[in-house]
Amino acid sequence: MIKDITIGQYFPGNSLVHKLDPRAKLVLTFVYILLIFLCKNFVSLGILVAYLLVSVLLSRISVRMILKSLKPIVILVCITSVLQIFYNSDGTVLWELGKFKLTTGGVFMALFTTVRIIALVTASALLTYTTSPTLLTDAIERLFSPLKRVHINVHSIAMMMTIALRFIPTLIDEVDKIMSAQKARGADLDTGGIVQRGKALIPVFVPLFVSAFTRAYDLAFAMECRCYRGGEGRTRLRVMRLRARDYIVFLVTAVCVAGIAVANRLLPAVI
Amino acid sequence: MPILETQNLTYVYGEGTPFRIEALKNVNISIEKGELVGVIGHTGSGKSTLMQHLNGLLKPTSGKVLLGGEDIHASKEATRAARFRVGLCFQYPEYQLFESTVYKDIAFGPRNMGLNETEIRERVQRAAEFLEIRSDWMDKSPFDLSGGEKRRVAIAGVMAMQPEILILDEPTAGLDPRGRDRITDMICKYGLSTGSTVLVVSHSMDDVASFASRILVMDHGQNVLGGTVDEVFRQVDKLVSMGLDVPQLTKIFLRLQASGVSVRTDIYTLAQAKRELLRLFFEKGGTA
Ligand SMILES: Nc1ncnc2c1ncn2[C@@H]1O[C@H](COP(=O)(O)OP(=O)(O)OP(=O)(O)O)[C@@H](O)[C@H]1O
Ligand SMILES: [Mg+2]
């Protein structure tokens, strides 16, 4: 069902990963993703995987939830692996069928890509699982605040993101409710061809848009009633401050980066 | 044989996530044909969840829902048939309106049943009559009606399917007292004149007392009490401990008794109250 979407969901907790400064987490995730693209061999990839495993363990997010976040990419992973296996013809030949050759190079390549994709998705999932959307957009606003100099209204953009994120679960709930209500009136939402299904969605989308717009107006009124006038001169309820644990994590990350750099330089590259 | 029955019905929301909630635990209810059943229970006690099982929208985590003795999840066809035999009108149903005119919206359900135009027209008319929907509304956009009017149109949309069992989840929530009484009356009239079985979820003990032939009480996902109006509302302490109450009138008579007046306390409706007060009046030597 529509409720099974876990990407972007937040699971409150009290672990080290939850408590890290959201700005730090955001930057670290970004660095991590960059490293995934930069690593060239199994040793550097190994370091990255180990780093991720430790983070997942520390976060106390159940493995099941992590696996759930990987569900949508299963097909992508399968397709890329198959392509990698058959389009790469380096190394010794393991198996041959006419034009197709299965080589060690291909297998390594497929394995490498698969691990990279999984690490990428897991890292981003871990960020959203352990950081509340409000903190995340707060962090984005802070990190991008220098852009104010070039007249980009960072605050408004961050506020819009916060509101959008805040309303995703509400709208999902709403879709669920409206779908049930229309099903109760005999609407057939699950069968038929594309055109038929598209048509069947009208009874769901019309009420959804009506209520989304009503909500938007209500929220705007409510914000204005509380004297919201944009970011100018606003102070914060929660002041973000880097703590010892953030610096320790930075240090550990720096060591990993150094290790990856050394491994990339000294060992032969897979790609 | 009961027309609708649940056997050890259990339902869990969010199984396998940190947000797991056991919304129904071993619920066994059985409903006879033609009954007017009131369902009460505190907020979050699982009333809405239970109602959504009765027409097959939710599939039990364990246990069964039997409609006319047959499991409604026995096959896909059975489930779809159950949707039409058991009409469910959700909490705040006005949010399900979507068509360009009131007529088309009420006709949505009957049309999905595959009826022909004359049959559809007839059913829409009949449902509109029960809910006192004026004929000049029929060509209006449902979005131009007031909240209470929308509510009536939405209920008519389910009634027009002429289900054997009609379930209404808090049909009077958020209406003014007059609107509440009117909708309750309309539902009563519908139940009595068509002989359909009707289940109404309500937070108003007065409403329930006025129409129900039987009451089911939900508490923390369990069906803890069930019986006639008298059998249920007699258990004042139990109800209060569950965050529920007895009808206002009953409270007055309980107070009277507590202050030494010898009155009956099984008084739940205005008619009963009137009779009892008159009896008291004449007993004390008053004249008409
Ligand atoms: N879609 C859902 N996802 C997860 N949990 C839910 C969902 N719907 C209901 N619940 C939970 O299930 C429990 C029962 O909810 P339900 O809506 O059945 O209560 P209710 O008796 O109808 O309450 P109310 O009187 O407020 O309408 C509640 O604890 C609620 O938090
Ligand atoms: Mg409810």
Side-chain angles (χ1 to χ4, degrees), chain B residues 14 20 33 46 68 76 79 87 98 123 130 152 154 161 171 196 201 207 214 231 242 278 287:
Chain B
R20 184 179 189 281
K33 194 167 163 45
K76 260 212 162 111
T79 314
F98 72 98
R123 287 189 175 207
F130 275 118
R152 269 147 62 194
M161 294 166 70
S196 320
V201 175
D207 284 357
R214 196 152 65 91
E231 281 164 356
M242 287 185 287
L278 282 177
T287 48

Side-chain angles (χ1 to χ4, degrees), chain A residues 75-126:
Chain A
I75 294 177
L76 178 79
V77 167
C78 289
I79 293 175
T80 39
S81 325
V82 169
L83 289 181
Q84 297 281 10
I85 282 182
F86 288 108
Y87 280 90
N88 188 309
S89 47
D90 301 336
T92 52
V93 176
L94 295 174
W95 183 68
E96 209 171 336
L97 181 81
K99 260 191 171 172
F100 292 111
K101 267 187 241 155
L102 186 64
T103 64
T104 47
V107 172
F108 280 149
M109 217 27 225
L111 200 64
F112 200 72
T113 321
T114 304
V115 174
R116 288 216 291 193
I117 297 176
I118 291 176
L120 190 100
V121 173
T122 309
S124 353
L126 194 62

Side-chain angles (χ1 to χ4, degrees), chain B residues 47-48 91 169-170 201:
Chain B
K47 303 181 296 290
S48 300
Q91 223 163 337
D169 196 348
E170 293 190 42
V201 175

Side-chain angles (χ1 to χ4, degrees), chain A residues 174-212:
Chain A
E174 195 115 343
V175 172
D176 229 31
K177 228 184 263 163
I178 299 174
M179 275 169 77
S180 308
Q182 305 299 27
K183 274 193 210 158
R185 293 208 281 166
D188 195 357
L189 303 175
D190 314 311
T191 52
I194 283 196
V195 179
Q196 229 170 350
R197 274 198 200 200
K199 260 195 188 156
L201 283 180
I202 294 176
V204 176
F205 279 115
V206 173
L208 181 67
F209 277 107
V210 170
S211 93

Side-chain angles (χ1 to χ4, degrees), chain B residues 30 107 161 196 206 217 253-254:
Chain B
S30 82
M161 294 166 70
S196 320
D206 305 271
V217 185
F253 282 87
L254 282 169

Side-chain angles (χ1 to χ4, degrees), chain A residues 48-244:
Chain A
L48 283 175
V49 170
Y51 185 91
L52 189 62
L53 281 183
V54 172
S55 312
V56 170
L57 285 182
L58 283 176
S59 75
R60 301 219 193 92
I61 297 281
S62 73
V63 178
R64 213 164 142 178
M65 289 328 294
I66 300 280
L67 288 183
K68 234 179 171 178
S69 74
L70 294 176
K71 223 156 109 191
I73 58 154
V74 168
I75 294 177
L76 178 79
V77 167
C78 289
I79 293 175
T80 39
S81 325
V82 169
L83 289 181
Q84 297 281 10
I85 282 182
F86 288 108
Y87 280 90
N88 188 309
S89 47
D90 301 336
T92 52
V93 176
L94 295 174
W95 183 68
E96 209 171 336
L97 181 81
K99 260 191 171 172
F100 292 111
K101 267 187 241 155
L102 186 64
T103 64
T104 47
V107 172
F108 280 149
M109 217 27 225
L111 200 64
F112 200 72
T113 321
T114 304
V115 174
R116 288 216 291 193
I117 297 176
I118 291 176
L120 190 100
V121 173
T122 309
S124 353
L126 194 62
L127 175 69
T128 57
Y129 280 178
T130 59
T131 322
S132 82
T134 352
L135 279 182
L136 205 57
T137 40
D138 244 17
I140 292 174
E141 184 180 347
R142 293 303 196 75
L143 287 172
F144 286 94
S145 61
L147 286 181
K148 272 181 197 150
R149 298 251 171 75
V150 288
H151 296 291
I152 294 178
N153 195 337
V154 183
H155 174 80
S156 300
I157 296 172
M159 183 54 90
M160 283 190 259
M161 281 174 60
T162 316
I163 293 173
L165 286 173
R166 158 67 185 74
F167 277 98
I168 288 174
T170 314
L171 290 182
I172 289 182
D173 267 0
E174 195 115 343
V175 172
D176 229 31
K177 228 184 263 163
I178 299 174
M179 275 169 77
S180 308
Q182 305 299 27
K183 274 193 210 158
R185 293 208 281 166
D188 195 357
L189 303 175
D190 314 311
T191 52
I194 283 196
V195 179
Q196 229 170 350
R197 274 198 200 200
K199 260 195 188 156
L201 283 180
I202 294 176
V204 176
F205 279 115
V206 173
L208 181 67
F209 277 107
V210 170
S211 93
F213 279 110
T214 318
R215 265 180 217 284
Y217 282 121
D218 288 351
L219 185 66
F221 277 131
M223 283 167 80
E224 266 174 19
C225 288
R226 290 169 201 188
C227 304
Y228 176 80
R229 288 178 293 111
E232 214 58 42
R234 267 169 79 85
T235 53
R236 313 222 148 242
L237 179 62
R238 277 178 308 250
V239 181
M240 290 186 199
R241 205 175 284 126
L242 291 178
R243 291 169 199 277

Side-chain angles (χ1 to χ4, degrees), chain A residues 3 173 176, chain B residues 13-14 19 21-24 41-50 52 91 169-170 201 203 218:
Chain A
K3 284 254 164 99
D173 267 0
D176 229 31
Chain B
Y13 280 111
F19 307 112
I21 292 173
E22 200 170 17
L24 293 178
H42 60 83
T43 290
S45 57
K47 303 181 296 290
S48 300
T49 309
L50 176 62
Q52 287 173 60
Q91 223 163 337
D169 196 348
E170 293 190 42
V201 175
H203 275 293
M218 295 293 295

